[in-house]
Amino acid sequence: MAETAYGPTSALVVVDVQNDFADPAGSLYVAGGDEIVPVINDHIAAATAAGALVVYTQDWHPEVTPHFADHGGVWPVHCVRDTWGAELHPDLTVGGPVIRKGTNGEDGYSGFTMRDPETGEETTTGLEAEIVAHGATEVVVVGLAFDVCVKATALDSLANGHRTSVPLEASRSVQLQPGDSERAAIELTRAGAVVA
Ligand code: VGL
Ligand code: ZN
């Protein structure tokens, strides 16, 4: 926490801190997801005090989507729009825009883009526009899950030309496969992110 420096040209992207991921009763609970909420709140407080943009993403799926295992995907049903599981965790400090992704049945791993699971077509969310409007050049990505949506969001941030860091203490991995967390850290570091 102390190592992450925030200023007016920073953007803190808080990825998918939602009940289904962050509450032990959630349908796709990420181990330790609840423990990092206060850590993330410390980042939010520091970012806000420094004049940084704080922006949130929310996985927001229809009931039926090829993202879910029942319909050809790999994940249990989670973050169905307008349900408890899709709500941001009640202890999370919310003080900034919320970007929803996956709304039309896309995979929506990255907070920046949504990829249609059938056609592969990519569309953008409003996240990059928020960052540009704030004049932010450095992006810090925290939240859930490190090896899925945090990774995808940080990779797109790098591709968009932002200096990008992922503080590990403010993120946890879902590990669909053992080793996913380590592989994600390597991939991010190779792409130019500061992962620490
Ligand atoms: C996520 C799996 C499926 C995430 C979203 O937020 O990391 N993981 N959908
Ligand atoms: Zn999802």
Side-chain angles (χ1 to χ4, degrees), residues 170-195:
S171 194
R172 290 289 184 275
S173 289
V174 60
Q175 302 242 77
L176 190 62
Q177 305 291 337
D180 279 353
S181 187
E182 290 76 10
R183 280 189 291 276
I186 292 166
E187 192 179 341
L188 282 167
T189 304
R190 285 202 182 127
V194 176
V195 181

Side-chain angles (χ1 to χ4, degrees), residues 3 85 118 177:
E3 301 95 68
E118 274 149 8
Q177 305 291 337

Side-chain angles (χ1 to χ4, degrees), residues 9-10 19 41 43 71 98 105 110-111 116 132 145 149 159 180 194:
T9 60
S10 312
N19 290 326
N41 283 341
H43 278 264
H71 304 283
V98 180
S110 164
D116 188 292
V132 169
C149 289
D180 279 353
V194 176

Side-chain angles (χ1 to χ4, degrees), residues 59 61 67 78:
D59 218 26
H61 297 299
H67 184 62
H78 63 275

